[in-house]
Amino acid sequence: DAGITQSPRHKVTETGTPVTLRCHQTENHRYMYWYRQDPGHGLRLIHYSYGVKDTDKGEVSDGYSVSRSKTEDFLLTLESATSSQTSVYFCAISEFKGSSATNEKLFFGSGTQLSVL
Amino acid sequence: DQQVKQNSPSLSVQEGRISILNCDYTNSMFDYFLWYKKYPAEGPTFLISISSIKDKNEDGRFTVFLNKSAKHLSLHIVPSQPGDSAVYFCAASGVLTSGTYKYIFGTGTRLKVLA
């Protein structure tokens, strides 16, 4: 299994509070991603990082921010949580060495179940 | 604008028969396609992949077919087993307009293999 740890595994919070989810990898992979999984929507990309301090938006980035100060850590922050952000959040990592995506698999963590009440 | 689509939310198949899961994509910049399997309360796990330069890749009971002209790929599982019951996600990857690599996923198909 890829060395990816997500914390916390479960969290319940109230609307309007800030929340930070952490992803830690031991693989030294360059790329890290945050996805959310919701019924009927599958896995949607929130933000991703292609290096330390290099991040970009995904498909559903509104209401989220990220930071990557070290290769191994990628943080996802909900500045003011809303009920629509209740979801399962997955961190994933990958490594790209060439000019093509071929043979570069994405490896996932076990997920964080977030409930915003 | 959904770039990767899985139009069948669910599929039921008898044990021993073939399961066919379909996926369509819109962006011609994708050059690598993957299938992931997900059980409840676990992260998705890699199943099989195919490069855009191929039209078929086989791994045991799993075969992925790619039709680039139709922007369509399919996953065949034969024979299907009860342990294959899970949600299957199709994903497409490539260097998109931003110059970085992204993986875009479909909405998933829930496969149920009946014993």
Side-chain angles (χ1 to χ4, degrees):
Chain A
D1 287 346
I4 307 169
T5 305
Q6 290 187 234
S7 58
R9 290 297 312 277
H10 302 273
K11 185 168 182 67
V12 180
T13 190
E14 294 185 349
T15 299
T17 60
V19 176
T20 295
L21 308 183
R22 179 177 184 247
C23 179
H24 178 80
Q25 62 148 327
T26 57
E27 306 296 321
N28 202 36
H29 280 7
R30 180 182 164 202
Y31 275 73
M32 299 185 76
Y33 303 82
W34 277 108
Y35 289 88
R36 59 178 288 177
Q37 184 196 5
D38 304 288
H41 293 279
L43 291 161
R44 292 181 293 176
L45 181 62
I46 305 172
H47 281 281
Y48 67 106
S49 169
Y50 47 96
V52 173
K53 293 187 176 11
D54 292 323
T55 64
D56 203 353
K57 295 179 180 179
E59 305 162 275
V60 289
S61 58
D62 288 348
Y64 301 95
S65 63
V66 289
S67 66
R68 191 165 178 204
S69 58
K70 297 185 289 185
T71 298
E72 56 266 36
D73 290 325
F74 192 33
L75 305 180
L76 177 71
T77 297
L78 292 66
E79 300 291 348
S80 177
T82 68
S83 59
S84 65
Q85 293 175 313
T86 292
S87 185
V88 181
Y89 290 85
F90 289 101
C91 174
I93 65 174
S94 189
E95 183 67 274
F96 291 94
K97 298 183 180 66
S99 59
S100 166
T102 297
N103 294 327
E104 302 294 359
K105 300 175 185 56
L106 190 65
F107 299 96
F108 283 88
S110 300
T112 294
Q113 172 69 61
L114 176 67
S115 297
V116 183
L117 305 178
Chain B
D1 179 25
Q2 202 169 351
Q3 299 187 67
V4 180
K5 300 178 185 178
Q6 292 177 258
N7 292 319
S8 298
S10 63
L11 175 68
S12 290
V13 172
Q14 284 295 132
E15 181 179 6
R17 306 295 291 267
I18 185 171
S19 296
I20 301 176
L21 293 81
N22 294 301
C23 179
D24 297 293
Y25 62 96
T26 57
N27 194 327
S28 58
M29 296 295 290
F30 292 134
D31 63 359
Y32 187 50
F33 304 90
L34 311 90
W35 285 94
Y36 282 79
K37 181 178 181 179
K38 187 183 179 306
Y39 293 118
E42 295 183 9
T45 56
F46 171 77
L47 188 59
I48 192 170
S49 62
I50 188 166
S51 164
S52 60
I53 63 173
K54 296 185 176 181
D55 55 18
K56 177 182 174 182
N57 188 27
E58 194 171 351
D59 184 1
R61 296 186 297 114
F62 303 92
T63 302
V64 56
F65 296 92
L66 176 63
N67 183 334
K68 280 185 65 178
S69 60
K71 293 190 176 67
H72 176 84
L73 63 155
S74 61
L75 173 67
H76 293 211
I77 306 173
V78 56
S80 301
Q81 299 174 353
D84 296 330
S85 297
V87 177
Y88 289 78
F89 290 102
C90 166
S93 179
V95 180
L96 304 183
T97 53
S98 62
T100 55
Y101 293 94
K102 290 186 206 177
Y103 294 86
I104 304 298
F105 283 79
T107 51
T109 296
R110 183 177 300 278
L111 175 65
K112 189 171 184 179
V113 180
L114 307 171

